């Protein structure tokens, strides 16, 4: 198969995943009845918070590594962040498909801050999916100039999403029922 055809197929998969992932999450989160997977799922928010923290650290180390021209470390850290993102997604879906949403219980001022972070986190997490997939596609296929151009947007958005994930977790965690 030609390289151009492979590239077109990859781009199609990136488009499909960029739509399918947020759509699947939305469908699973809106299930009329929660799945009964047991009480262990109530530990998942803590794992999710840890994963977001590790993702943030990996992204920062990757950024510093590339600034220092340490391409090997840059690749390792971004790969780790990508894998952590996939694990996060699985755990997030499991948790929200099986546990009722937790209401935020802070005062009005804190509530506004919480919802600002939560809403921007959710919206940007949807938008960052195609950017991350494209950045990885370009890097893996040696399209370094395209990779550099897209990561100017991808990196700050992905970092914001992972950091606000931690922030939202820390703000809501006192209100978890279990």
């Amino acid at each position: 198969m030609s390289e151009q055809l492979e590239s077109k197929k990859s781009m199609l998969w990136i488009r499909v995943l960029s739509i399918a992932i947020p759509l699947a999450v939305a469908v699973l989160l809106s299930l009329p009845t929660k799945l009964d997977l047991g009480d262990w799922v109530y530990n998942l928010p803590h794992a999710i918070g840890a994963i977001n923290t590790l993702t943030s650290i990996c992204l920062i180390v990757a950024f510093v590594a590339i600034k220092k021209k340490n391409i090997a470390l840059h690749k390792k850290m971004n790969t780790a962040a990508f894998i952590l993102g996939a694990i996060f997604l699985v755990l997030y879906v499991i948790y929200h498909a099986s546990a009722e949403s937790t209401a935020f219980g802070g005062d009005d001022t804190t509530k506004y801050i919480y919802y600002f972070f939560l809403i921007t986190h959710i919206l940007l997490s949807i938008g960052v999916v195609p950017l991350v997939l494209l950045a990885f596609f370009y890097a893996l296929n040696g399209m370094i100039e395209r990779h550099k151009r897209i990561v100017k947007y991808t990196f700050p958005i992905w970092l914001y999403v992972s950091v606000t994930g931690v922030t939202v977790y820390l703000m809501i965690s006192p209100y978890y029922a279990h």
Side-chain angles (χ1 to χ4, degrees):
M1 204 177 296
S2 76
E3 193 173 307
Q4 188 176 18
L5 184 58
E6 281 296 323
S7 182
K8 283 185 178 184
K9 284 175 74 175
S10 295
M11 288 301 191
L12 176 62
W13 274 109
I14 289 170
R15 286 187 195 101
V16 167
L17 289 171
S18 296
I19 295 167
I21 290 171
L23 194 58
V25 169
V27 167
L28 289 169
L29 296 183
S30 63
L31 291 174
T33 307
K34 297 294 183 180
L35 303 174
D36 184 8
L37 300 177
D39 286 344
W40 68 272
V41 298
Y42 295 103
N43 293 313
L44 290 178
H46 311 301
I48 291 167
I51 288 168
N52 274 326
T53 302
L54 290 173
T55 301
S56 300
I57 292 166
C58 287
L59 291 172
I60 292 166
V61 172
F63 179 76
V64 171
I66 202 62
K67 290 297 180 188
K68 293 183 174 187
K69 309 272 190 250
N70 187 341
I71 296 168
L73 181 59
H74 175 76
K75 287 179 179 180
K76 286 177 186 171
M77 290 295 102
N78 278 313
T79 300
F82 188 86
I83 291 167
L84 287 166
I87 294 168
F88 160 84
L89 184 60
V90 170
L91 296 181
Y92 180 86
V93 167
I94 290 170
Y95 176 73
H96 286 285
S98 59
E100 294 296 330
S101 293
T102 300
F104 184 76
D107 62 35
D108 284 344
T109 304
T110 310
K111 197 174 283 192
Y112 290 125
I113 295 167
Y114 171 78
Y115 282 111
F116 172 80
F117 283 134
L118 179 64
I119 291 167
T120 58
H121 170 80
I122 291 169
L123 293 175
L124 289 172
S125 70
I126 294 167
V128 81
V129 170
L131 295 175
V132 169
L133 293 173
L134 283 169
F136 271 82
F137 173 77
Y138 293 147
L140 293 172
N141 288 283
M143 301 176 190
I144 302 306
E145 288 308 311
R146 284 184 172 184
H147 174 76
K148 286 179 181 179
R149 280 196 303 267
I150 199 166
V151 297
K152 287 179 183 177
Y153 306 101
T154 307
F155 170 72
I157 296 170
W158 194 4
L159 183 61
Y160 179 85
V161 166
S162 64
V163 169
T164 55
V166 175
T167 304
V168 165
Y169 163 73
L170 291 173
M171 292 181 81
I172 193 85
S173 63
Y175 307 105
Y176 284 127
H178 292 282

